[in-house]
Amino acid sequence: MMNSPEIYPVCETAIVVKWGDRIEEEINRRVHELKRLIIQNPFPGFLDAVPAYSTLTIYYQPELLIKEQVGFYPVVKKWIMILLSLEERGPVTRSTLVTIPVCYDEEYGIDLGEMASAQDLSKEAVISMHSQREYLTYMMGFLPGFAYMGQVADAIATPRRETPRLMVEEGSVGIAGKQTGIYPLSSPGGWQIIGRTPLTLFDPGKNDPFLFRAGDRVKFEPVSRTEFNSIKSTQVKRALPETTKPIADAVVIKAGPFSTIQDAGRFGYRSYGVPVSGAMDLQSHFIANALVGNYKNAAGIECTMGGLVIQFKKDTVVAITGAGAAYVNHRVIQKYQPLTLYRNDQLEIRYNNDGIRTYIAVRGGIDVPLVMNSRSTYTRAGIGSVLKKGDTLSFGNDVRSTTGNSSVSFSFPEYTSQSVIRIMEGPEQERMQKESRDRLYAQPFALTHQCDRMGYKLQADPLKLIDPSELISTAVTIGTIQLTPNGQLVLLMSDCQTTGGYPRVAQVAAVDLPIAAQLKPGDSLRFTNISIREAEDLYLIQQNTVNEYFR
């Protein structure tokens, strides 16, 4: 009988159930069986469950739970233990077999020849070995619809490329170690590419956007170039609804470097590799919506580094929060208060070095199509787009009150170029050398210019691991801090991948994510340690404050 799993919190809003560190079908079956039971028997506040090779990460909203004296985590753990007892008696679920046509021609299998030579095999032998087996889809992550399948025959198991490609074409079939997988979108990547499928793996325009799911079995079927082209001609992605409308409530006059439409995020799809996205600085987003009388999930504009000019075609009420300076018709206006704008008024956002992101709410919200239950932009998957000159904006009906809420005292963090961020110990922090663990809290870290909505690369004296051996992938989330092989840290943010294989050495407390969202290249930050219990208490205070805004 398999040993009982380890259960531990990774942050104030997530718990992990772990069956060791091995890639085995029986372990993975247990992972998916527990996910099935949780979906069928959700506890109050449950958000999502993300399976990986040997772990299930469960996300939840603590504010919807009844807190015990020892915190929220024990409440969720108790629920998981009950479900695990049911799982012992549960039936084995049947998986779906999905057949994937693959053209292994040289044009598509760009690494096939080199890989075959390195293994002292012919290309035909590699193709035969790759296509003869049925593979289990252990997990999905990295990209929406990207399936981690295994395991390939030992004879064709090949490490990732030493230097990842800047771009791998959509549909490319690859091998990494004993894993095989398909890129559902064009993306940078380091897998060894041996072919390409003509099938569409991820189509956000469909009601069911994914070709297969974790737990499915997959069989690759070799096809000729002619067959590939014939199948490809039938694969038409369903167009997403237009985000701009002919009758405009506002028009973008200048777009600035990077402005997008965001709401509170896209939940329920992390197990398919789809990130949460949403406003980076949720606190500022919520305050802006409260000020104009919107529901807190109403979509607004997130403007990065200013430069945005919008002309209004109708009277409305707006609120500006976060960083930056705001001007109406070239006159400076005060942020953090509702403001009536009239037809032909122009709103301008300017960068002023007190943070990097400004939030604009209009009464009713920005009306763009819902995609997977969210209006948030996720450019990597083609969901929404960066605002550009000439784009038209329409206002929605997400109005809670026509008076807004300017009577409460809005609390917002003070943004500085030398921030202190509270973190909890990550699951793999113990893998760090003691001297490096000490320096995690003692030395400053600088934000490099490699930072965006996916994450921030930090720079400092390198940190070292006791054991640098590779980990199997597991779930990661907003605020996860990973230690990369070069000894530098990466802080994951709103558009981050849903799974990763680098050691998770720390996790930013949710209460400080708004501060992290306003950091900019060149800023310095330090970390200070707090416990899960302290993070839970701070999170609850933050959520109660936000809820007060919307009373």
Side-chain angles (χ1 to χ4, degrees), residues 287-305:
I287 292 172
N289 273 329
L291 285 166
V292 299
N294 289 344
Y295 292 105
K296 69 179 183 178
N297 193 41
I301 298 173
E302 179 182 272
C303 171
T304 303
M305 294 194 73

PDB file of all heavy atoms in Angstrom, residues 287-305:
ATOM      1  N   ILE A 287      -9.674  49.558  -5.367  1.00  0.00           N
ATOM      2  CA  ILE A 287      -9.991  50.899  -4.882  1.00  0.00           C
ATOM      3  C   ILE A 287     -10.594  51.741  -5.999  1.00  0.00           C
ATOM      4  O   ILE A 287     -11.590  52.459  -5.789  1.00  0.00           O
ATOM      5  CB  ILE A 287      -8.739  51.576  -4.294  1.00  0.00           C
ATOM      6  CG1 ILE A 287      -8.297  50.881  -3.009  1.00  0.00           C
ATOM      7  CG2 ILE A 287      -9.004  53.061  -4.023  1.00  0.00           C
ATOM      8  CD1 ILE A 287      -6.965  51.365  -2.463  1.00  0.00           C
ATOM      9  N   ALA A 288     -10.015  51.676  -7.195  1.00  0.00           N
ATOM     10  CA  ALA A 288     -10.547  52.450  -8.332  1.00  0.00           C
ATOM     11  C   ALA A 288     -11.995  52.065  -8.618  1.00  0.00           C
ATOM     12  O   ALA A 288     -12.853  52.944  -8.834  1.00  0.00           O
ATOM     13  CB  ALA A 288      -9.667  52.233  -9.560  1.00  0.00           C
ATOM     14  N   ASN A 289     -12.291  50.760  -8.602  1.00  0.00           N
ATOM     15  CA  ASN A 289     -13.665  50.323  -8.844  1.00  0.00           C
ATOM     16  C   ASN A 289     -14.610  50.791  -7.739  1.00  0.00           C
ATOM     17  O   ASN A 289     -15.746  51.203  -8.006  1.00  0.00           O
ATOM     18  CB  ASN A 289     -13.722  48.799  -8.967  1.00  0.00           C
ATOM     19  CG  ASN A 289     -13.455  48.318 -10.387  1.00  0.00           C
ATOM     20  OD1 ASN A 289     -13.778  49.004 -11.351  1.00  0.00           O
ATOM     21  ND2 ASN A 289     -12.870  47.141 -10.519  1.00  0.00           N
ATOM     22  N   ALA A 290     -14.147  50.730  -6.495  1.00  0.00           N
ATOM     23  CA  ALA A 290     -15.002  51.179  -5.382  1.00  0.00           C
ATOM     24  C   ALA A 290     -15.335  52.668  -5.513  1.00  0.00           C
ATOM     25  O   ALA A 290     -16.468  53.087  -5.245  1.00  0.00           O
ATOM     26  CB  ALA A 290     -14.300  50.897  -4.060  1.00  0.00           C
ATOM     27  N   LEU A 291     -14.366  53.454  -5.920  1.00  0.00           N
ATOM     28  CA  LEU A 291     -14.566  54.898  -6.012  1.00  0.00           C
ATOM     29  C   LEU A 291     -15.631  55.289  -7.032  1.00  0.00           C
ATOM     30  O   LEU A 291     -16.352  56.275  -6.849  1.00  0.00           O
ATOM     31  CB  LEU A 291     -13.242  55.581  -6.356  1.00  0.00           C
ATOM     32  CG  LEU A 291     -12.227  55.695  -5.212  1.00  0.00           C
ATOM     33  CD1 LEU A 291     -10.854  56.063  -5.741  1.00  0.00           C
ATOM     34  CD2 LEU A 291     -12.696  56.731  -4.189  1.00  0.00           C
ATOM     35  N   VAL A 292     -15.746  54.528  -8.125  1.00  0.00           N
ATOM     36  CA  VAL A 292     -16.730  54.887  -9.164  1.00  0.00           C
ATOM     37  C   VAL A 292     -18.034  54.118  -9.003  1.00  0.00           C
ATOM     38  O   VAL A 292     -18.959  54.306  -9.803  1.00  0.00           O
ATOM     39  CB  VAL A 292     -16.153  54.675 -10.580  1.00  0.00           C
ATOM     40  CG1 VAL A 292     -14.936  55.560 -10.794  1.00  0.00           C
ATOM     41  CG2 VAL A 292     -15.821  53.212 -10.842  1.00  0.00           C
ATOM     42  N   GLY A 293     -18.118  53.225  -7.984  1.00  0.00           N
ATOM     43  CA  GLY A 293     -19.355  52.507  -7.745  1.00  0.00           C
ATOM     44  C   GLY A 293     -19.483  51.197  -8.481  1.00  0.00           C
ATOM     45  O   GLY A 293     -20.592  50.644  -8.586  1.00  0.00           O
ATOM     46  N   ASN A 294     -18.364  50.656  -8.991  1.00  0.00           N
ATOM     47  CA  ASN A 294     -18.396  49.377  -9.703  1.00  0.00           C
ATOM     48  C   ASN A 294     -18.341  48.198  -8.733  1.00  0.00           C
ATOM     49  O   ASN A 294     -17.926  48.335  -7.584  1.00  0.00           O
ATOM     50  CB  ASN A 294     -17.190  49.253 -10.653  1.00  0.00           C
ATOM     51  CG  ASN A 294     -17.294  50.161 -11.848  1.00  0.00           C
ATOM     52  OD1 ASN A 294     -18.366  50.684 -12.150  1.00  0.00           O
ATOM     53  ND2 ASN A 294     -16.176  50.367 -12.527  1.00  0.00           N
ATOM     54  N   TYR A 295     -18.697  47.011  -9.241  1.00  0.00           N
ATOM     55  CA  TYR A 295     -18.349  45.778  -8.551  1.00  0.00           C
ATOM     56  C   TYR A 295     -16.835  45.620  -8.625  1.00  0.00           C
ATOM     57  O   TYR A 295     -16.180  46.111  -9.552  1.00  0.00           O
ATOM     58  CB  TYR A 295     -19.040  44.576  -9.193  1.00  0.00           C
ATOM     59  CG  TYR A 295     -20.537  44.578  -9.004  1.00  0.00           C
ATOM     60  CD1 TYR A 295     -21.388  44.908 -10.044  1.00  0.00           C
ATOM     61  CD2 TYR A 295     -21.096  44.258  -7.767  1.00  0.00           C
ATOM     62  CE1 TYR A 295     -22.765  44.921  -9.867  1.00  0.00           C
ATOM     63  CE2 TYR A 295     -22.468  44.268  -7.576  1.00  0.00           C
ATOM     64  CZ  TYR A 295     -23.305  44.600  -8.636  1.00  0.00           C
ATOM     65  OH  TYR A 295     -24.659  44.615  -8.437  1.00  0.00           O
ATOM     66  N   LYS A 296     -16.263  44.914  -7.650  1.00  0.00           N
ATOM     67  CA  LYS A 296     -14.800  44.912  -7.575  1.00  0.00           C
ATOM     68  C   LYS A 296     -14.134  44.153  -8.716  1.00  0.00           C
ATOM     69  O   LYS A 296     -12.972  44.385  -9.023  1.00  0.00           O
ATOM     70  CB  LYS A 296     -14.315  44.390  -6.225  1.00  0.00           C
ATOM     71  CG  LYS A 296     -14.521  42.934  -5.931  1.00  0.00           C
ATOM     72  CD  LYS A 296     -13.931  42.629  -4.550  1.00  0.00           C
ATOM     73  CE  LYS A 296     -14.012  41.170  -4.182  1.00  0.00           C
ATOM     74  NZ  LYS A 296     -13.398  40.902  -2.859  1.00  0.00           N
ATOM     75  N   ASN A 297     -14.869  43.269  -9.394  1.00  0.00           N
ATOM     76  CA  ASN A 297     -14.271  42.533 -10.503  1.00  0.00           C
ATOM     77  C   ASN A 297     -14.455  43.229 -11.847  1.00  0.00           C
ATOM     78  O   ASN A 297     -14.060  42.708 -12.887  1.00  0.00           O
ATOM     79  CB  ASN A 297     -14.860  41.117 -10.586  1.00  0.00           C
ATOM     80  CG  ASN A 297     -14.049  40.218 -11.498  1.00  0.00           C
ATOM     81  OD1 ASN A 297     -12.819  40.248 -11.479  1.00  0.00           O
ATOM     82  ND2 ASN A 297     -14.722  39.427 -12.316  1.00  0.00           N
ATOM     83  N   ALA A 298     -15.043  44.416 -11.863  1.00  0.00           N
ATOM     84  CA  ALA A 298     -15.223  45.132 -13.122  1.00  0.00           C
ATOM     85  C   ALA A 298     -13.875  45.364 -13.799  1.00  0.00           C
ATOM     86  O   ALA A 298     -12.861  45.596 -13.140  1.00  0.00           O
ATOM     87  CB  ALA A 298     -15.924  46.463 -12.874  1.00  0.00           C
ATOM     88  N   ALA A 299     -13.865  45.306 -15.118  1.00  0.00           N
ATOM     89  CA  ALA A 299     -12.618  45.484 -15.869  1.00  0.00           C
ATOM     90  C   ALA A 299     -12.243  46.956 -15.953  1.00  0.00           C
ATOM     91  O   ALA A 299     -13.101  47.829 -16.148  1.00  0.00           O
ATOM     92  CB  ALA A 299     -12.767  44.901 -17.274  1.00  0.00           C
ATOM     93  N   GLY A 300     -10.959  47.203 -15.801  1.00  0.00           N
ATOM     94  CA  GLY A 300     -10.428  48.553 -15.930  1.00  0.00           C
ATOM     95  C   GLY A 300      -9.167  48.536 -16.776  1.00  0.00           C
ATOM     96  O   GLY A 300      -8.817  47.517 -17.390  1.00  0.00           O
ATOM     97  N   ILE A 301      -8.476  49.648 -16.800  1.00  0.00           N
ATOM     98  CA  ILE A 301      -7.253  49.770 -17.601  1.00  0.00           C
ATOM     99  C   ILE A 301      -6.049  49.764 -16.668  1.00  0.00           C
ATOM    100  O   ILE A 301      -6.021  50.493 -15.674  1.00  0.00           O
ATOM    101  CB  ILE A 301      -7.258  51.059 -18.439  1.00  0.00           C
ATOM    102  CG1 ILE A 301      -8.434  51.043 -19.433  1.00  0.00           C
ATOM    103  CG2 ILE A 301      -5.929  51.223 -19.198  1.00  0.00           C
ATOM    104  CD1 ILE A 301      -8.608  52.355 -20.182  1.00  0.00           C
ATOM    105  N   GLU A 302      -5.073  48.926 -16.990  1.00  0.00           N
ATOM    106  CA  GLU A 302      -3.777  48.929 -16.306  1.00  0.00           C
ATOM    107  C   GLU A 302      -2.770  49.568 -17.257  1.00  0.00           C
ATOM    108  O   GLU A 302      -2.491  49.033 -18.329  1.00  0.00           O
ATOM    109  CB  GLU A 302      -3.353  47.505 -15.959  1.00  0.00           C
ATOM    110  CG  GLU A 302      -1.997  47.427 -15.273  1.00  0.00           C
ATOM    111  CD  GLU A 302      -1.600  45.984 -14.985  1.00  0.00           C
ATOM    112  OE1 GLU A 302      -1.965  45.477 -13.908  1.00  0.00           O
ATOM    113  OE2 GLU A 302      -0.935  45.357 -15.859  1.00  0.00           O
ATOM    114  N   CYS A 303      -2.253  50.710 -16.861  1.00  0.00           N
ATOM    115  CA  CYS A 303      -1.314  51.477 -17.700  1.00  0.00           C
ATOM    116  C   CYS A 303       0.075  51.386 -17.093  1.00  0.00           C
ATOM    117  O   CYS A 303       0.293  51.779 -15.943  1.00  0.00           O
ATOM    118  CB  CYS A 303      -1.777  52.933 -17.791  1.00  0.00           C
ATOM    119  SG  CYS A 303      -0.593  54.041 -18.583  1.00  0.00           S
ATOM    120  N   THR A 304       1.025  50.869 -17.865  1.00  0.00           N
ATOM    121  CA  THR A 304       2.400  50.696 -17.397  1.00  0.00           C
ATOM    122  C   THR A 304       3.285  51.807 -17.952  1.00  0.00           C
ATOM    123  O   THR A 304       3.360  51.999 -19.168  1.00  0.00           O
ATOM    124  CB  THR A 304       2.951  49.326 -17.817  1.00  0.00           C
ATOM    125  OG1 THR A 304       2.086  48.307 -17.306  1.00  0.00           O
ATOM    126  CG2 THR A 304       4.356  49.103 -17.288  1.00  0.00           C
ATOM    127  N   MET A 305       3.893  52.573 -17.070  1.00  0.00           N
ATOM    128  CA  MET A 305       4.834  53.649 -17.399  1.00  0.00           C
ATOM    129  C   MET A 305       4.198  54.801 -18.172  1.00  0.00           C
ATOM    130  O   MET A 305       4.857  55.477 -18.963  1.00  0.00           O
ATOM    131  CB  MET A 305       6.051  53.095 -18.156  1.00  0.00           C
ATOM    132  CG  MET A 305       6.912  52.182 -17.313  1.00  0.00           C
ATOM    133  SD  MET A 305       8.534  51.840 -18.014  1.00  0.00           S
ATOM    134  CE  MET A 305       9.359  53.417 -17.748  1.00  0.00           C
TER     135      MET A 305
END
